[in-house]
Structure formats: structure tokens, C-alpha cells
Amino acid sequence: QVQLVESGGGTVQPGGSLRLSCLASGSSFNIYTMLWYRQAPGKQRELVAVIGSGGNTDYADSVKGRFTISRDNTKNTVYLQMNSLKPGDTAVYYCHARYLNDYWGRGTQVTVSS
């Protein structure tokens, strides 16, 4: 069983930055593929970024060049650095771990508003 706890959300002005963190409990964090999803009000949950166990990454087109996903296996933590934030990035951001089973965090709210 893996528990995921997100942190780092908040309210920021357009053009600002935030760094989200997701702390995973349990062992063998390094074998998990880690993903960040987001869900805006009235919209479906969408994949934002993914990092594999080997460190390979991929991003949604809407965030390429602005967001960076990374992981620190010594801290059981995955990060999402978000720069040049736009109002359209406003959503609840969820951390997701995948390896045979799927685990989700409860989410952290990101609001981009002037």
C-alpha cells in the first residue's frame, strides 16, 4: 500500500511560479512511475506530466516548456515545478503512482488569478 500526500499548492498571479511536492509512503518508491494530473472545475481530469522509474519524462502539450517534473528517490518525493503560470492552469493537482497497482493523492489546489 502506498499513500501519497501532495503539498505546495496556493494562489499565484499570472506569470508566477509554484512547486508542488508529492511525498510517498512505503518502500520501493524508485520502481514507481509517477504522474501529475489536474482537474479544473467542470472538466475531466487530465495528465500533466509523467516521470518513469528511469527518469524519463513527458508532458502535456499545454505545459511543455513551463512545467518540469522531477523525482528524488532518496526522499520518496516527486516534484512539479510550474513556471509562467496562466489562469488556465487553475485546477486541483493530483499525484499518481503506478506499478501493478494505482495510487492517488487527495490533491492540492492551484489557483492562478490576478
Side-chain angles (χ1 to χ4, degrees):
Q1 188 74 11
V2 175
Q3 292 185 328
L4 303 173
V5 179
E6 302 97 335
S7 62
T11 299
V12 64
Q13 292 187 342
S17 299
L18 283 174
R19 187 176 82 154
L20 305 183
S21 300
C22 172
L23 176 62
S25 67
S27 59
S28 302
F29 171 78
N30 58 296
I31 67 173
Y32 284 86
T33 295
M34 300 300 299
L35 308 94
W36 285 98
Y37 283 78
R38 68 185 181 187
Q39 187 167 19
K43 295 187 177 181
Q44 289 187 330
R45 192 171 295 190
E46 64 172 349
L47 177 64
V48 175
V50 57
I51 185 166
S53 58
N56 50 305
T57 60
D58 201 6
Y59 300 89
D61 287 343
S62 59
V63 307
K64 279 181 180 176
R66 300 189 298 123
F67 291 11
T68 302
I69 189 170
S70 61
R71 66 191 298 162
D72 186 338
N73 291 337
T74 67
K75 297 181 179 179
N76 278 19
T77 301
V78 62
Y79 303 98
L80 186 67
Q81 177 67 44
M82 305 186 295
N83 299 328
S84 302
L85 282 161
K86 306 174 181 179
D89 296 318
T90 295
V92 177
Y93 284 70
Y94 297 91
C95 180
H96 177 46
R98 181 184 300 164
Y99 181 75
L100 300 181
N101 296 310
D102 292 290
Y103 303 95
W104 290 91
R106 293 189 173 185
T108 184
Q109 176 70 47
V110 171
T111 302
V112 184
S113 175
S114 55

